[in-house]
Amino acid sequence: MALSPAAAVAVFFFLAMLVGGDAAVVEHTFVVSQVRMNRACKDTLVTVVNGQLPGPAIEVTEGDSVVVHVVNKSPHGLTIHWHGVKQRLNCWADGVGMITQCPIQPGKNFTYRFNVAGQEGTLWWHAHVASLRATVHGALIIRPRSGGDAGTLYPFPRPHKEVPIFIGEWWDVDLVELDMRMADGFFDDYPVNATINGMLGDLYDCAGASEDIYVMQVEPGKTYMLRIVNVALLSRYYLKIAGHRFTVVAADANYVKPYNTDVIAIAPGESMDALVVADAPHGKYYMVALANQPPLPDQQIPVFSSRGVLQYSYNPIKGEDPTVINSLMVPEMPDQHDMMTSFYFHGNLTGATPHPPLPINVDDRLFISLALGSICRGSHVPLPSSPCRGYDVNESISVATMNNVSFQLPTKVSLLEAHYRGNMSIAGKLHELPDKPPTEYNYTDKTMIPWGSKEAALESTTKAMSVRMFRFNTTVEIVFQSTAILNSDANPMHLHGHDFFVLAQGLGNYDAERDAGSYNLVDPPVRNTVLVPPVGWAAIRFVTDNPGVWFLHCHYGFHTSMGMAVAFEVENGQSSDMTLPPPPIDLPRCEHHGNSVAYQ
Ligand code: C2O
């Protein structure tokens, strides 16, 4: 049936009202400042938003627009990144220092504007300069578009309440200095301990008085949706609640097939939505977050753990006693060295339909090794040609690498601005990320973890502005390989501006012939962060459908600061709806910044 132009316009507006009529503009003002907080017997100056830790939650409905006025009253230049928001045709609002913009300088303001479309679930926002995200962070909750009388349309029964659970860490050091030390190869700082919703909990006390503990009140028989985010810089965590189970329903704001488990494994950058039914006898139950500790022969770090409480409301008429302590109250945690519980947890997540179709024909394949290495202090000369000795902090700087290059941020102009001006090299000397590591070796040989000759031969690396350019609409497959050079860390790799399919993960070295057969091409989960297992690999696939410059990095704070990152440059497509618009006129420019903090 052909419509007259006028009728077509009327139909268009009618449809627009149906699908977009109730989209709202959600506006916030974020005042970033330093406040003194007393934790663990010590006053610490912390940078926070609106005086809160965690910062304010942004709650929106899918399709809404978000406007956030950032007022920087802190002494640090900073940006705010909207972790997981796809920012289609809106790379300028991605908020990555020196990648998409120059930092908002002290005393200055900037307003971020973006839409949240085609995504629902739990995301979060955080500072993306130095390690400030340890305290500058908050939830970004996207609810499904309301379906009229049916109420909010989750693909599962509507929970009684939704509860953010932020697993983080309390640091009593200056986080900007911490970052500079890490970028300089010194890594000898640890957090005081883990936190749940910013609180250390009762495992930590100050002169005999327990620290604040997070308490979640529940009513018997009701279902709660936990919106769990790992906002920590240092560790991945196991989360359990004594006497209760979880049904994971979403990860990184993408629905997964409901997965029933008694433990959640969550790495920095990941978010999970999990239903918990308050179906235990009334009482108090601990929820425990326990950090993973790398297994030997890795260098051991302290064990971090925090507790909160799930507390049932009680009914005195029924003779219930609020002082009853249930015998199940402390959950039995996995061993802190247990890597397999996390491996299986992540492997058990599958995507829920409907999800975007999985592209079958791959245009570009990358194999990316994730490792540590070193450069000589005072120069960027590779080791074999120079006299400095590897992994000695006085002579060399340990760095983190992707395909044996450690990422260096530009200092004069953001990469996105350089891209927009059509000349990436105005940001500095570029290094093209190769398709595979320059040297192939047995990536997962654990004898390379302590310093030794085998490892030393592979340790030398370079510091460079590592970029990779893609045509618009390229289907990219990446296999990330965690290596055993100097450590056996897992690596939560996070891509900006795109969600991706996680096709498979495995232990040991990736073997294309054997492992491509294990790909889940039926219901792979859709994520923005993939946890690459320690001395193992993970494969992802995505389409470059969003022009701009997008950071890809490990979400461990120290790995980011040490350079485990690359910038993906995605070209414009053929038409205007595939083209990056001009920058907002008030976008902070770099010419103004005085000091040179490591801008990650
Ligand atoms: Cu959560 Cu590059 O960020």
Side-chain angles (χ1 to χ4, degrees), residues 167-170 191-196 199-201 237 289 291 304-306:
I167 302 172
E169 286 151 352
W170 177 255
V192 171
N193 214 330
T195 55
I196 295 178
M199 293 172 231
L200 282 161
Y237 283 84
F304 303 111
S305 177
S306 180

Side-chain angles (χ1 to χ4, degrees), residues 81-84 94 96 124 126 128 133 269 494 496 529 551 553 555 560:
H81 166 58
W82 317 95
H83 178 112
D94 197 38
V96 189
W124 58 301
H126 61 78
H128 215 306
R133 72 172 170 86
H494 171 58
H496 289 218
T529 303
F551 215 27
H553 62 95
H555 218 283
T560 318

Side-chain angles (χ1 to χ4, degrees), residues 490-519:
N491 297 286
M493 301 305 294
H494 171 58
L495 174 62
H496 289 218
H498 302 75
D499 280 350
F500 47 71
F501 294 92
V502 178
L503 301 178
Q505 58 167 5
L507 300 175
N509 294 332
Y510 175 78
D511 172 340
E513 258 165 57
R514 179 195 62 204
D515 294 324
S518 72
Y519 283 7

Side-chain angles (χ1 to χ4, degrees), residues 183 375 380 399-400 405-408 461-465 561-563:
I375 54 171
H380 291 164
V399 295
V405 178
S406 176
F407 187 79
Q408 180 158 52
T461 179
T462 43
K463 196 91 187 143
M465 220 177 288
S561 305
M562 292 167 73

Side-chain angles (χ1 to χ4, degrees), residues 152-276:
T152 306
L153 293 179
Y154 291 113
F156 41 83
R158 191 179 186 175
H160 174 61
K161 273 205 178 117
E162 302 175 8
V163 185
I165 300 285
F166 271 40
I167 302 172
E169 286 151 352
W170 177 255
W171 295 79
D172 62 357
V173 297
D174 181 312
L175 292 164
V176 172
E177 274 170 30
L178 169 81
D179 189 77
M180 289 193 280
R181 278 200 297 280
M182 287 192 295
D184 205 22
F186 291 91
F187 189 76
D188 45 15
D189 295 277
Y190 295 111
V192 171
N193 214 330
T195 55
I196 295 178
N197 287 345
M199 293 172 231
L200 282 161
D202 65 350
L203 286 176
Y204 206 90
D205 68 286
C206 168
S210 149
E211 288 286 333
D212 284 351
I213 181 163
Y214 172 68
V215 178
M216 175 178 158
Q217 296 280 353
V218 296
E219 287 174 43
K222 298 270 161 77
T223 300
Y224 295 80
M225 178 155 80
L226 307 189
R227 296 180 175 276
I228 309 159
V229 186
N230 182 333
V231 300
L233 292 180
L234 187 73
S235 292
R236 53 209 182 99
Y237 283 84
Y238 286 124
L239 179 73
K240 283 186 88 167
I241 303 176
H244 293 78
R245 295 181 68 82
F246 305 95
T247 304
V248 182
V249 290
D252 297 352
N254 285 289
Y255 292 115
V256 296
K257 293 212 176 76
Y259 169 54
N260 192 273
T261 173
D262 66 345
V263 61
I264 304 268
I266 189 163
E270 288 189 291
S271 59
M272 311 262 167
D273 297 350
L275 303 176
V276 172

